[in-house]
């Protein structure tokens, strides 16, 4: 999203190298909702030698006082 007031999901998709068709997709969103101004995002994505995808980013959550807080994310996704 380009509007700072619109929540966004962090998503990663693997495309087929020959056809460009989507092989798989992972969508991630923190607990913060559209009223919380959540802008979940990936900061970096890499593929390791096994073809697994490593994502570094931020998901937005809500703490005990209902404040929106960024939560760092580092996740590895099976490349197959």
């Amino acid at each position: 999203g380009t509007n700072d007031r619109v929540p966004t999901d962090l998503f990663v998709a693997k495309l087929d190298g020959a056809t460009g068709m989507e092989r798989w997709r992972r969508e991630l969103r923190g607990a913060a909702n559209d009223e919380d101004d959540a802008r979940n995002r990936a900061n970096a994505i890499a593929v390791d030698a096994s073809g697994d995808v490593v994502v570094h980013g931020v998901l937005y959550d809500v703490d005990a006082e209902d404040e929106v807080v960024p939560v760092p994310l580092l996740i590895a996704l099976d490349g197959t």
Side-chain angles (χ1 to χ4, degrees):
T2 58
N3 181 334
D4 283 344
R5 303 297 302 167
V6 175
T8 55
D9 287 343
L10 180 161
F11 82 92
V12 179
K14 182 170 183 172
L15 305 178
D16 185 276
T19 66
M21 298 288 293
E22 187 176 295
R23 295 183 61 195
W24 56 256
R25 169 190 296 237
R26 301 294 182 271
E27 297 180 31
L28 303 168
R29 176 178 275 200
N33 62 36
D34 58 344
E35 296 171 2
D36 297 316
D37 197 23
R39 294 173 306 278
N40 305 293
R41 67 181 182 274
N43 295 328
I45 299 175
V47 179
D48 67 14
S50 300
D52 297 331
V53 179
V54 180
V55 180
H56 174 268
V58 177
L59 297 181
Y60 284 82
D61 205 346
V62 180
D63 67 12
E65 289 82 33
D66 287 330
E67 296 291 323
V68 176
V69 293
V71 178
L73 171 75
L74 182 62
I75 188 170
L77 302 170
D78 185 344
T80 60

Coordinates of all heavy atoms in Angstrom, one line a residue:
G1 N 0.8 -1.2 0.0 CA 0.0 0.0 0.0 C 0.9 1.2 0.0 O 1.9 1.3 0.6
T2 N 0.4 2.3 -0.6 CA 1.1 3.5 -0.7 C 0.5 4.6 0.3 O 1.1 5.6 0.5 CB 1.0 4.1 -2.1 OG1 -0.3 4.3 -2.4 CG2 1.7 3.2 -3.1
N3 N -0.6 4.3 0.9 CA -1.2 5.2 1.9 C -0.8 4.8 3.3 O -1.1 3.6 3.7 CB -2.7 5.2 1.7 CG -3.5 6.1 2.6 OD1 -3.0 6.4 3.7 ND2 -4.6 6.5 2.2
D4 N -0.2 5.6 4.0 CA 0.3 5.3 5.4 C -0.9 4.9 6.3 O -0.6 4.3 7.3 CB 1.1 6.4 6.0 CG 2.5 6.5 5.4 OD1 2.9 5.5 4.8 OD2 3.1 7.5 5.6
R5 N -2.1 5.2 6.0 CA -3.2 4.9 6.9 C -3.9 3.5 6.5 O -4.8 3.1 7.1 CB -4.3 6.0 6.8 CG -3.8 7.3 7.2 CD -3.3 7.4 8.6 NE -4.3 7.1 9.6 CZ -4.1 6.9 10.9 NH1 -2.9 6.9 11.3 NH2 -5.0 6.5 11.7
V6 N -3.3 2.8 5.5 CA -3.9 1.6 5.1 C -3.0 0.4 5.6 O -1.8 0.4 5.4 CB -4.0 1.5 3.5 CG1 -4.5 0.2 3.1 CG2 -4.9 2.6 3.0
P7 N -3.6 -0.5 6.3 CA -2.8 -1.7 6.7 C -2.4 -2.5 5.6 O -3.0 -2.6 4.5 CB -3.8 -2.4 7.6 CG -5.1 -2.1 7.1 CD -5.0 -0.7 6.6
T8 N -1.2 -3.1 5.7 CA -0.7 -4.0 4.7 C -0.2 -5.3 5.3 O 0.2 -5.4 6.4 CB 0.5 -3.3 4.0 OG1 1.5 -3.0 4.9 CG2 0.1 -2.1 3.2
D9 N -0.3 -6.3 4.4 CA 0.2 -7.6 4.8 C 1.6 -7.7 4.3 O 2.0 -7.1 3.3 CB -0.6 -8.8 4.2 CG -2.0 -9.0 4.8 OD1 -2.2 -8.4 5.9 OD2 -2.8 -9.6 4.2
L10 N 2.4 -8.5 4.9 CA 3.7 -8.9 4.4 C 3.5 -10.2 3.7 O 2.9 -11.1 4.3 CB 4.7 -9.1 5.6 CG 6.1 -9.5 5.2 CD1 7.0 -9.2 6.4 CD2 6.3 -10.9 4.8
F11 N 3.8 -10.3 2.4 CA 3.7 -11.6 1.7 C 4.9 -11.9 0.9 O 5.6 -11.0 0.4 CB 2.3 -11.6 0.9 CG 2.4 -11.0 -0.4 CD1 2.8 -11.7 -1.5 CD2 2.2 -9.6 -0.6 CE1 2.8 -11.2 -2.8 CE2 2.2 -9.1 -1.9 CZ 2.6 -9.8 -2.9
V12 N 5.1 -13.2 0.8 CA 6.2 -13.7 -0.1 C 5.6 -14.7 -1.0 O 4.8 -15.5 -0.6 CB 7.3 -14.3 0.8 CG1 8.4 -14.9 0.0 CG2 7.8 -13.4 1.8
A13 N 5.9 -14.7 -2.3 CA 5.4 -15.6 -3.2 C 6.5 -16.2 -4.0 O 7.5 -15.5 -4.3 CB 4.4 -15.0 -4.2
K14 N 6.4 -17.5 -4.3 CA 7.4 -18.1 -5.2 C 6.8 -18.4 -6.5 O 5.7 -18.9 -6.6 CB 7.9 -19.5 -4.6 CG 9.0 -20.1 -5.5 CD 9.6 -21.3 -4.9 CE 10.7 -21.9 -5.8 NZ 11.5 -22.9 -5.1
L15 N 7.5 -17.9 -7.6 CA 7.0 -18.0 -8.9 C 7.7 -19.1 -9.7 O 8.9 -19.3 -9.4 CB 7.1 -16.7 -9.7 CG 6.5 -15.5 -9.0 CD1 6.8 -14.2 -9.8 CD2 5.0 -15.7 -8.8
D16 N 7.1 -19.8 -10.6 CA 7.7 -20.8 -11.4 C 8.6 -20.1 -12.4 O 8.3 -19.2 -13.0 CB 6.7 -21.6 -12.1 CG 7.3 -22.8 -12.9 OD1 7.7 -22.5 -14.0 OD2 7.3 -23.9 -12.4
G17 N 9.9 -20.6 -12.4 CA 10.9 -19.9 -13.3 C 10.6 -20.0 -14.8 O 10.9 -19.1 -15.6
A18 N 9.9 -21.0 -15.2 CA 9.6 -21.2 -16.6 C 8.3 -20.5 -17.0 O 8.2 -20.0 -18.1 CB 9.5 -22.7 -16.9
T19 N 7.2 -20.6 -16.2 CA 5.9 -20.1 -16.6 C 5.5 -18.8 -15.9 O 4.6 -18.1 -16.4 CB 4.8 -21.1 -16.3 OG1 4.7 -21.2 -14.8 CG2 5.1 -22.4 -16.9
G20 N 6.2 -18.4 -14.8 CA 5.8 -17.3 -14.1 C 4.6 -17.5 -13.2 O 4.2 -16.5 -12.5
M21 N 4.0 -18.7 -13.2 CA 2.9 -19.0 -12.4 C 3.3 -19.0 -10.9 O 4.4 -19.4 -10.5 CB 2.2 -20.3 -12.7 CG 1.7 -20.4 -14.2 SD 0.2 -19.4 -14.4 CE -0.9 -20.3 -13.4
E22 N 2.3 -18.6 -10.0 CA 2.6 -18.6 -8.6 C 2.6 -20.1 -8.1 O 1.6 -20.8 -8.3 CB 1.5 -17.8 -7.9 CG 1.8 -17.7 -6.4 CD 0.8 -16.8 -5.7 OE1 0.7 -15.6 -6.1 OE2 0.0 -17.3 -4.9
R23 N 3.7 -20.5 -7.4 CA 3.8 -21.8 -6.9 C 3.3 -21.9 -5.4 O 2.7 -22.8 -5.0 CB 5.2 -22.3 -7.0 CG 5.6 -22.5 -8.5 CD 7.0 -23.0 -8.6 NE 7.1 -24.4 -8.0 CZ 8.2 -25.0 -7.8 NH1 9.4 -24.4 -8.1 NH2 8.3 -26.2 -7.3
W24 N 3.7 -20.9 -4.6 CA 3.1 -20.8 -3.3 C 3.2 -19.4 -2.8 O 3.9 -18.5 -3.4 CB 3.8 -21.7 -2.3 CG 5.3 -21.6 -2.2 CD1 6.2 -22.5 -2.7 CD2 6.1 -20.6 -1.5 NE1 7.5 -22.1 -2.4 CE2 7.4 -21.0 -1.6 CE3 5.8 -19.5 -0.7 CZ2 8.5 -20.2 -1.1 CZ3 6.8 -18.8 -0.2 CH2 8.1 -19.1 -0.3
R25 N 2.4 -19.1 -1.8 CA 2.4 -17.7 -1.2 C 2.2 -17.9 0.3 O 1.5 -18.7 0.8 CB 1.2 -17.0 -1.8 CG 0.9 -15.7 -1.0 CD -0.5 -15.1 -1.5 NE -0.4 -14.8 -2.9 CZ -0.7 -13.6 -3.4 NH1 -1.0 -12.6 -2.5 NH2 -0.6 -13.3 -4.6
R26 N 2.9 -17.0 1.1 CA 2.7 -16.9 2.5 C 2.4 -15.5 2.8 O 3.1 -14.5 2.4 CB 4.0 -17.3 3.3 CG 4.5 -18.7 3.0 CD 3.6 -19.8 3.5 NE 4.2 -21.1 3.3 CZ 4.0 -21.8 2.2 NH1 3.3 -21.3 1.2 NH2 4.5 -23.0 2.0
E27 N 1.3 -15.3 3.5 CA 0.8 -13.9 3.9 C 0.9 -13.8 5.4 O 0.4 -14.7 6.1 CB -0.6 -13.7 3.4 CG -0.7 -13.7 1.9 CD -2.1 -13.4 1.4 OE1 -2.9 -12.7 2.1 OE2 -2.4 -14.0 0.4
L28 N 1.5 -12.8 5.9 CA 1.7 -12.6 7.3 C 1.2 -11.2 7.8 O 1.4 -10.2 7.1 CB 3.2 -12.7 7.7 CG 3.9 -14.0 7.3 CD1 5.4 -13.8 7.5 CD2 3.4 -15.1 8.1
R29 N 0.5 -11.2 8.9 CA 0.0 -9.9 9.4 C 0.0 -10.0 10.9 O -0.3 -11.1 11.5 CB -1.4 -9.7 9.0 CG -2.0 -8.4 9.6 CD -3.4 -8.2 9.1 NE -3.3 -7.4 7.9 CZ -4.3 -6.7 7.4 NH1 -5.4 -6.6 8.0 NH2 -4.1 -6.0 6.3
G30 N 0.5 -9.0 11.6 CA 0.5 -9.0 13.0 C -0.9 -8.8 13.5 O -1.9 -8.7 12.8
A31 N -1.1 -8.7 14.8 CA -2.4 -8.6 15.5 C -3.0 -7.2 15.3 O -4.2 -7.0 15.4 CB -2.3 -8.9 16.9
A32 N -2.2 -6.2 14.9 CA -2.8 -4.8 14.7 C -3.7 -4.9 13.5 O -3.5 -5.5 12.5 CB -1.6 -3.8 14.4
N33 N -4.8 -4.1 13.6 CA -5.8 -4.1 12.5 C -5.8 -2.8 11.8 O -5.0 -1.9 12.0 CB -7.2 -4.4 13.1 CG -7.7 -3.4 14.1 OD1 -7.4 -2.2 14.0 ND2 -8.4 -3.8 15.1
D34 N -6.8 -2.6 10.9 CA -6.7 -1.4 10.0 C -6.8 -0.1 10.8 O -6.3 0.9 10.3 CB -7.8 -1.5 9.0 CG -9.2 -1.6 9.5 OD1 -9.4 -2.0 10.7 OD2 -10.2 -1.4 8.8
E35 N -7.4 -0.1 11.9 CA -7.5 1.1 12.7 C -6.2 1.4 13.4 O -6.0 2.5 13.9 CB -8.6 1.0 13.8 CG -10.0 0.9 13.1 CD -11.1 0.5 14.1 OE1 -10.7 0.5 15.3 OE2 -12.2 0.4 13.7
D36 N -5.3 0.5 13.5 CA -4.0 0.6 14.2 C -2.9 1.1 13.3 O -1.8 1.3 13.7 CB -3.6 -0.7 14.8 CG -4.6 -1.2 15.9 OD1 -5.1 -0.3 16.7 OD2 -4.9 -2.4 15.8
D37 N -3.2 1.3 12.0 CA -2.2 1.8 11.1 C -1.0 0.9 11.0 O 0.1 1.2 11.0 CB -1.7 3.2 11.6 CG -1.0 3.9 10.5 OD1 -1.1 3.7 9.3 OD2 -0.2 4.8 10.8
A38 N -1.3 -0.4 10.8 CA -0.3 -1.5 10.7 C 0.2 -1.5 9.3 O -0.5 -1.7 8.4 CB -0.9 -2.8 11.1
R39 N 1.5 -1.4 9.2 CA 2.2 -1.4 7.9 C 3.2 -2.6 7.9 O 4.5 -2.3 8.0 CB 2.9 -0.1 7.6 CG 1.9 1.0 7.4 CD 2.5 2.4 7.2 NE 3.4 2.7 8.3 CZ 3.0 3.2 9.5 NH1 1.8 3.4 9.7 NH2 3.9 3.5 10.4
N40 N 2.8 -3.8 8.0 CA 3.6 -5.0 8.0 C 4.5 -5.0 6.8 O 4.0 -4.6 5.7 CB 2.8 -6.2 8.1 CG 1.9 -6.2 9.3 OD1 2.3 -6.3 10.4 ND2 0.6 -6.1 9.0
R41 N 5.8 -5.3 6.9 CA 6.6 -5.2 5.7 C 7.8 -6.1 5.8 O 8.3 -6.5 6.9 CB 7.1 -3.8 5.6 CG 8.0 -3.3 6.7 CD 8.5 -1.8 6.5 NE 9.4 -1.4 7.5 CZ 9.0 -1.0 8.7 NH1 7.8 -0.9 9.0 NH2 9.9 -0.6 9.6
A42 N 8.4 -6.4 4.7 CA 9.7 -7.1 4.6 C 10.7 -6.1 4.3 O 10.6 -5.2 3.5 CB 9.6 -8.1 3.4
N43 N 11.9 -6.2 5.0 CA 13.0 -5.3 4.8 C 14.0 -6.0 3.9 O 14.8 -5.3 3.2 CB 13.6 -4.9 6.1 CG 12.7 -4.1 7.0 OD1 11.9 -3.4 6.5 ND2 12.8 -4.3 8.3
A44 N 14.1 -7.3 3.9 CA 15.1 -8.0 3.1 C 14.6 -9.5 2.9 O 14.0 -10.0 3.8 CB 16.5 -8.1 3.8
I45 N 14.9 -10.0 1.7 CA 14.6 -11.4 1.4 C 15.8 -12.0 0.7 O 16.4 -11.3 -0.2 CB 13.3 -11.4 0.4 CG1 12.1 -10.8 1.1 CG2 13.0 -12.9 0.0 CD1 10.9 -10.7 0.2
A46 N 16.1 -13.2 1.1 CA 17.2 -13.9 0.5 C 16.8 -15.4 0.3 O 15.9 -15.9 0.9 CB 18.4 -13.8 1.4
V47 N 17.5 -16.0 -0.6 CA 17.3 -17.4 -0.9 C 18.6 -18.1 -0.6 O 19.7 -17.7 -1.1 CB 16.9 -17.7 -2.4 CG1 16.7 -19.2 -2.6 CG2 15.6 -16.9 -2.7
D48 N 18.6 -19.2 0.2 CA 19.8 -19.9 0.6 C 20.1 -21.0 -0.4 O 19.4 -21.2 -1.4 CB 19.7 -20.5 2.0 CG 18.7 -21.6 2.2 OD1 18.2 -22.1 1.2 OD2 18.4 -21.9 3.4
A49 N 21.2 -21.7 -0.2 CA 21.7 -22.7 -1.2 C 20.7 -23.8 -1.4 O 20.6 -24.5 -2.4 CB 23.0 -23.3 -0.8
S50 N 19.8 -24.1 -0.4 CA 18.8 -25.1 -0.5 C 17.5 -24.7 -1.2 O 16.6 -25.5 -1.4 CB 18.4 -25.7 0.9 OG 19.6 -26.2 1.5
G51 N 17.5 -23.4 -1.5 CA 16.2 -22.8 -2.1 C 15.2 -22.3 -1.1 O 14.1 -21.9 -1.5
D52 N 15.6 -22.4 0.2 CA 14.7 -21.8 1.2 C 14.7 -20.3 1.2 O 15.8 -19.7 0.9 CB 15.0 -22.4 2.6 CG 14.9 -23.9 2.6 OD1 14.0 -24.4 1.9 OD2 15.6 -24.5 3.4
V53 N 13.6 -19.7 1.5 CA 13.5 -18.2 1.5 C 13.6 -17.7 2.9 O 12.9 -18.1 3.8 CB 12.2 -17.8 0.9 CG1 12.1 -16.3 0.8 CG2 12.1 -18.4 -0.5
V54 N 14.5 -16.8 3.2 CA 14.7 -16.1 4.5 C 14.2 -14.7 4.4 O 14.6 -14.0 3.5 CB 16.2 -16.2 4.9 CG1 16.3 -15.5 6.3 CG2 16.7 -17.6 4.9
V55 N 13.3 -14.3 5.3 CA 12.6 -13.0 5.2 C 12.9 -12.3 6.6 O 12.7 -12.8 7.6 CB 11.1 -13.1 5.1 CG1 10.5 -11.7 5.0 CG2 10.8 -13.9 3.8
H56 N 13.4 -11.0 6.4 CA 13.5 -10.2 7.6 C 12.5 -9.0 7.4 O 12.4 -8.5 6.3 CB 15.0 -9.6 7.7 CG 15.1 -8.6 8.8 ND1 14.9 -7.3 8.6 CD2 15.4 -8.7 10.1 CE1 15.1 -6.6 9.7 NE2 15.4 -7.5 10.6
G57 N 11.8 -8.7 8.5 CA 10.8 -7.7 8.3 C 10.2 -7.3 9.7 O 10.8 -7.5 10.7
V58 N 9.0 -6.7 9.6 CA 8.4 -6.2 10.8 C 6.9 -6.5 10.7 O 6.3 -6.2 9.6 CB 8.5 -4.6 10.9 CG1 7.8 -4.1 12.1 CG2 10.0 -4.2 11.0
L59 N 6.3 -7.0 11.8 CA 4.9 -7.2 11.9 C 4.4 -6.2 13.0 O 5.2 -6.0 14.0 CB 4.5 -8.6 12.2 CG 4.8 -9.7 11.2 CD1 4.3 -11.0 11.7 CD2 4.2 -9.4 9.9
Y60 N 3.3 -5.7 12.9 CA 2.8 -4.8 13.9 C 1.7 -5.5 14.8 O 0.8 -6.1 14.3 CB 2.2 -3.5 13.3 CG 3.3 -2.6 12.8 CD1 3.9 -2.8 11.6 CD2 3.7 -1.6 13.7 CE1 4.9 -1.9 11.2 CE2 4.8 -0.7 13.3 CZ 5.3 -0.9 12.0 OH 6.4 -0.1 11.6
D61 N 2.0 -5.4 16.1 CA 1.1 -6.1 17.1 C 0.5 -5.0 18.0 O 0.8 -3.8 17.9 CB 2.0 -7.0 17.9 CG 1.2 -8.2 18.5 OD1 0.0 -8.1 18.6 OD2 1.8 -9.1 19.0
V62 N -0.3 -5.4 19.0 CA -0.9 -4.5 19.9 C -0.5 -5.0 21.3 O -0.7 -6.2 21.6 CB -2.5 -4.5 19.8 CG1 -3.1 -3.6 20.8 CG2 -2.9 -4.2 18.4
D63 N 0.0 -4.1 22.2 CA 0.4 -4.5 23.5 C -0.7 -4.4 24.5 O -1.9 -4.2 24.1 CB 1.6 -3.6 23.9 CG 1.3 -2.2 24.2 OD1 0.1 -1.8 24.2 OD2 2.3 -1.4 24.3
A64 N -0.4 -4.7 25.8 CA -1.5 -4.7 26.8 C -2.2 -3.4 27.0 O -3.4 -3.4 27.4 CB -0.8 -5.1 28.1
E65 N -1.6 -2.3 26.6 CA -2.2 -1.0 26.7 C -2.9 -0.6 25.4 O -3.2 0.6 25.1 CB -1.2 0.1 27.1 CG -0.8 0.0 28.5 CD 0.3 -1.0 28.7 OE1 1.1 -1.2 27.8 OE2 0.3 -1.7 29.8
D66 N -3.1 -1.5 24.4 CA -3.7 -1.3 23.1 C -2.8 -0.3 22.3 O -3.4 0.3 21.4 CB -5.1 -0.8 23.2 CG -6.0 -1.9 23.6 OD1 -5.7 -3.1 23.3 OD2 -7.1 -1.6 24.3
E67 N -1.5 -0.3 22.5 CA -0.7 0.5 21.7 C -0.1 -0.3 20.6 O 0.3 -1.5 20.8 CB 0.5 1.1 22.5 CG 0.0 2.1 23.6 CD -0.5 3.4 23.0 OE1 0.0 3.8 22.0 OE2 -1.5 3.9 23.6
V68 N 0.1 0.2 19.4 CA 0.6 -0.5 18.3 C 2.2 -0.5 18.5 O 2.8 0.5 18.7 CB 0.3 0.1 16.9 CG1 1.0 -0.6 15.8 CG2 -1.2 0.1 16.8
V69 N 2.7 -1.7 18.4 CA 4.2 -1.9 18.6 C 4.7 -2.7 17.4 O 4.1 -3.7 17.0 CB 4.5 -2.6 19.9 CG1 4.2 -1.6 21.1 CG2 3.8 -3.9 20.1
P70 N 5.9 -2.3 16.9 CA 6.5 -3.2 15.8 C 7.2 -4.4 16.5 O 7.8 -4.3 17.5 CB 7.6 -2.2 15.3 CG 7.9 -1.2 16.3 CD 6.6 -1.1 17.2
V71 N 7.1 -5.5 15.8 CA 7.7 -6.8 16.2 C 8.6 -7.2 15.1 O 8.2 -7.5 14.0 CB 6.6 -7.8 16.5 CG1 7.3 -9.1 17.0 CG2 5.6 -7.3 17.6
P72 N 10.0 -7.3 15.4 CA 10.9 -7.7 14.4 C 10.6 -9.2 14.0 O 10.2 -10.0 14.8 CB 12.2 -7.7 15.0 CG 12.1 -6.7 16.2 CD 10.6 -6.9 16.6
L73 N 10.8 -9.5 12.7 CA 10.5 -10.8 12.2 C 11.7 -11.3 11.4 O 12.3 -10.6 10.6 CB 9.3 -10.7 11.2 CG 9.0 -12.0 10.4 CD1 8.3 -13.0 11.3 CD2 8.1 -11.6 9.2
L74 N 12.1 -12.6 11.7 CA 13.1 -13.3 10.9 C 12.5 -14.7 10.8 O 12.3 -15.4 11.7 CB 14.4 -13.3 11.6 CG 15.5 -14.0 10.8 CD1 15.8 -13.3 9.5 CD2 16.8 -14.1 11.6
I75 N 12.2 -15.1 9.5 CA 11.5 -16.4 9.3 C 12.1 -17.0 8.1 O 12.5 -16.3 7.1 CB 10.0 -16.2 9.1 CG1 9.3 -17.5 9.1 CG2 9.7 -15.3 7.9 CD1 7.8 -17.3 9.1
A76 N 12.2 -18.3 8.1 CA 12.7 -19.1 7.0 C 11.5 -19.9 6.4 O 10.8 -20.5 7.2 CB 13.8 -20.0 7.4
L77 N 11.3 -19.8 5.1 CA 10.2 -20.5 4.5 C 10.8 -21.6 3.6 O 11.7 -21.4 2.8 CB 9.4 -19.6 3.6 CG 8.8 -18.4 4.4 CD1 8.2 -17.4 3.4 CD2 7.7 -18.9 5.4
D78 N 10.2 -22.8 3.6 CA 10.6 -23.9 2.8 C 10.4 -23.5 1.3 O 9.3 -23.2 0.9 CB 9.8 -25.1 3.2 CG 10.3 -26.4 2.4 OD1 11.0 -26.3 1.4 OD2 9.9 -27.5 2.9
G79 N 11.5 -23.6 0.6 CA 11.4 -23.1 -0.8 C 10.6 -24.0 -1.7 O 10.2 -23.7 -2.8
T80 N 10.3 -25.3 -1.3 CA 9.6 -26.2 -2.1 C 8.1 -25.9 -1.9 O 7.3 -26.3 -2.6 CB 9.9 -27.6 -1.8 OG1 9.6 -27.9 -0.4 CG2 11.3 -27.9 -2.1

